[in-house]
Amino acid sequence: MAAKGKAFCHVEKNLKALEKFPRVALNNIRDFPEAFKPHHRKGRGPGSGRGKTSGRGHKGQGQRGTLPRTGFEGGQTPFYLRVPKHGFKNVNKTNYVPLNLNRLQYFIDCGRIDINEPINMNTLWTTGAVSKVGDGVCLLGTGSETFNSKINIEVSRASKKAIESVEQKGGQITCAYYTKLGLRVLLKPWKFDEKRMPRRAAPPPKLEKYYRDPTKRGYLADPQEIDVERQKVHQNIDNDSESLVNKVKNMNLSAE
């Protein structure tokens, strides 16, 4: 709370200073007061307060510049070795960049993404829908209520809600595997010679099951099985709409 109050006071002080300043022009551009700390000269006589020993005192580690490394405790077992350690950092973790449906719809409404063309991770990166790709893009279902575009999109992963929302609008979604080199070829193809373009790598055994699953819309899955899953989605839509109509009819009958 103290830090927030301090920051607020700093902003308030700058706003008050702006009120007193004239209109900004090239001849009066300057920094705010106290924007930079003044430079203090050291070792220039006792009258300055930093003369003789320059504020370092007499003798010892502090004056000679032989301070030990950070964490050294005089030879005893340091704190970072005394305390127990828990957990670990998985160096092989894949970091997928999340992309919500409401953000995708916003870029479509702005005209930055053309729904008449296939959308891949290169499109999402070049248009600014995602700032980086990392190990791939994961499409999430947040904002599915406002999503209303028919698209053909390819991403690394997608949630169940995102798949249903895209296919309810008549679109298609495909989950494809890319290595680091594959993503580099996809995003920056001009850096590779056309005659020596690297071949696309197959997914590792641990991920092969995911990309062969038709419910995940994997690119290695059987197209006929994917069509069956898409038909199930449309059947669920019809069933939901019928149940909603029946509920409305029952409400009207009860009201009469």
Side-chain angles (χ1 to χ4, degrees):
M1 293 297 292
K4 286 185 179 179
K6 188 176 180 181
F8 180 74
C9 293
H10 180 70
V11 173
E12 212 172 36
K13 184 175 67 175
N14 291 341
L15 291 174
K16 288 180 180 178
L18 277 173
E19 291 176 358
K20 297 178 182 178
F21 286 166
R23 188 177 178 84
V24 177
L26 289 175
N27 63 336
N28 61 7
I29 292 177
R30 66 192 66 180
D31 294 309
F32 286 116
E34 304 175 6
F36 296 95
K37 293 182 180 179
H39 175 66
H40 297 286
R41 300 177 71 201
K42 297 180 180 179
R44 293 297 182 270
S48 65
R50 292 183 178 82
K52 192 184 175 185
T53 56
S54 302
R56 285 176 172 263
H58 293 276
K59 301 182 182 178
Q61 292 177 329
Q63 191 182 43
R64 295 193 177 93
T66 56
L67 287 168
R69 69 180 187 278
T70 304
F72 184 72
E73 298 183 10
Q76 71 178 11
T77 306
F79 176 77
Y80 65 88
L81 292 179
R82 288 199 304 268
V83 297
K85 278 73 176 177
H86 301 281
F88 71 102
K89 183 177 180 181
N90 187 3
V91 296
N92 298 318
K93 181 183 177 182
T94 52
N95 298 312
Y96 295 107
V97 178
L99 175 64
N100 294 320
L101 287 176
N102 53 5
R103 181 172 175 83
L104 181 60
Q105 184 62 46
Y106 172 75
F107 275 77
I108 292 171
D109 294 339
C110 291
R112 299 177 69 174
I113 296 179
D114 186 8
I115 60 175
N116 298 320
E117 298 291 333
I119 302 170
N120 55 18
M121 286 181 280
N122 187 5
T123 309
L124 299 174
W125 180 63
T126 53
T127 56
V130 291
S131 58
K132 59 180 181 179
V133 174
D135 294 323
V137 176
C138 180
L139 188 65
L140 302 177
T142 304
S144 59
E145 301 83 7
T146 59
F147 185 77
N148 55 8
S149 299
K150 182 181 177 181
I151 59 173
N152 182 6
I153 187 170
E154 181 190 79
V155 290
S156 297
R157 298 223 171 182
S159 66
K160 183 179 179 182
K161 189 175 181 181
I163 293 172
E164 290 178 354
S165 300
V166 170
E167 293 183 351
Q168 281 176 4
K169 305 303 178 183
Q172 293 183 3
I173 183 168
T174 306
C175 295
Y177 172 76
Y178 285 93
T179 59
K180 287 286 188 182
L181 181 61
L183 287 172
R184 188 173 175 82
V185 173
L186 180 67
L187 300 180
K188 301 177 181 179
W190 62 86
K191 292 195 173 184
F192 296 88
D193 188 4
E194 292 182 0
K195 296 181 180 179
R196 303 180 61 183
M197 191 71 72
R199 290 189 301 173
R200 187 169 180 175
K206 287 184 178 180
L207 298 177
E208 187 175 356
K209 183 179 178 181
Y210 180 89
Y211 291 106
R212 288 189 181 277
D213 190 354
T215 59
K216 308 294 185 183
R217 304 303 186 266
Y219 73 114
L220 298 177
D222 187 2
Q224 295 180 355
E225 295 181 0
I226 292 178
D227 291 338
V228 171
E229 294 295 330
R230 285 174 181 159
Q231 289 174 5
K232 289 181 181 179
V233 172
H234 292 297
Q235 287 176 1
N236 292 335
I237 298 170
D238 296 336
N239 295 334
D240 292 340
S241 60
E242 287 178 4
S243 61
L244 183 61
V245 170
N246 293 330
K247 285 182 180 178
V248 172
K249 287 181 178 179
N250 293 331
M251 289 173 64
N252 294 334
L253 291 172
S254 60
E256 291 176 357

